[in-house]
Amino acid sequence: MEFHVYENAQKACEAAAILIAAQITSKSDCILGLATGSTPLPVYEKLVEWYKNGVLDFSDVRSFNLDEYIGIDHKNPLSYHAFMQENLFDHVNIVPENTHVPDGDMTGEEYDASIRAAGGIDIQLLGIGKNGHIGFNEPADAFTYGTHVTDLTQSTIDANSRFFESIDDVPRQAISMGIGSIMEARRVILVATGKDKAEAVYKMMKEPVTPHVPASVLQLHPDCIILVDEAAASLMK
Ligand code: F6R
């Protein structure tokens, strides 16, 4: 794993955006694996800025998102479908049919088959949960290979309650790409920012690979780049 520390979140996210932009520039019909959440917002802002400046062209790009809540309509502003529209897809020239976000109406096998049929993910963007989750692969006794429906842990429900009016409104289930689906991406970039993520970053990097810290599996990925700010790197010193 490559590990890079930046002085702040904006710079870590800009580094991630540069890697994605480089991928699009070198292969215009590349397949992006995309994440939602607070962490990648500045990544998407940069990509939109570069598209608006005429530097990036998304017309042949295809994308597959990591995950989506179960039981939330796509039009609900808190859905990951809506998140992607609002923060990226509505602002660039990506073809709507080329964007894919999983949902409870498809099976995990169908989603994985569509990723494979498209040629596989060239570059997968990830955040990390405070409990070490990637996508919604929560800590467990074993890794889950393919896209699957999963119960969210209390730590994730608590973390995501900041977006909802009450904690009772937070969905209890999600559909998520599995660890196998993520590990099949040709390149993985994980962005972690803020001191809340310091422990997860430390465990991902320094502890033995374990499904109890799902991100630790990235130690085995042949092309994985971890981009963090100083706060998220604080336990690494
Ligand atoms: C989102 C996702 C999650 C988030 C993680 C961190 O698509 O897959 O694993 O990356 O929960 O979320 P933030 O960035 O909001 O701290």
Side-chain angles (χ1 to χ4, degrees), residues 35-40 66-67 80 126-129 133-136 162-163 197:
T36 61
S38 305
T39 308
L66 278 169
D67 44 21
Y80 288 173
L126 296 177
I128 184 171
H133 73 212
I134 46 176
F136 277 129
R162 69 193 192 275
F163 299 112
K197 302 293 174 67

Side-chain angles (χ1 to χ4, degrees), residues 32-163:
L32 305 181
L34 298 176
T36 61
S38 305
T39 308
L41 285 172
V43 178
Y44 295 138
E45 274 166 27
K46 273 286 154 199
L47 294 176
V48 169
E49 180 187 319
W50 292 332
Y51 165 71
K52 291 195 167 151
N53 291 344
V55 182
L56 272 184
D57 176 11
F58 287 79
S59 57
D60 292 327
V61 169
R62 287 162 292 165
S63 71
F64 288 87
N65 263 77
L66 278 169
D67 44 21
E68 175 60 287
Y69 292 121
I70 298 283
I72 275 198
D73 189 81
H74 297 179
K75 296 213 167 59
N76 184 321
L78 295 173
S79 73
Y80 288 173
H81 282 76
F83 175 100
M84 290 311 301
Q85 290 302 138
E86 189 184 327
N87 294 296
L88 183 66
F89 300 155
D90 283 347
H91 309 290
V92 298
N93 65 337
I94 197 162
V95 177
E97 291 70 38
N98 287 346
T99 67
H100 306 84
V101 181
D103 65 46
D105 293 337
M106 65 177 76
T107 66
E109 289 76 17
E110 284 165 347
Y111 195 64
D112 290 333
S114 59
I115 295 174
R116 259 181 236 118
I121 290 170
D122 289 299
I123 189 163
Q124 174 66 56
L125 176 63
L126 296 177
I128 184 171
K130 280 193 278 189
N131 62 4
H133 73 212
I134 46 176
F136 277 129
N137 293 279
E138 298 282 37
D141 290 339
F143 291 117
T144 303
Y145 185 78
T147 299
H148 60 286
V149 172
T150 181
D151 294 331
L152 302 187
T153 59
Q154 196 57 45
S155 151
T156 300
I157 292 167
D158 292 345
N160 290 8
S161 66
R162 69 193 192 275
F163 299 112

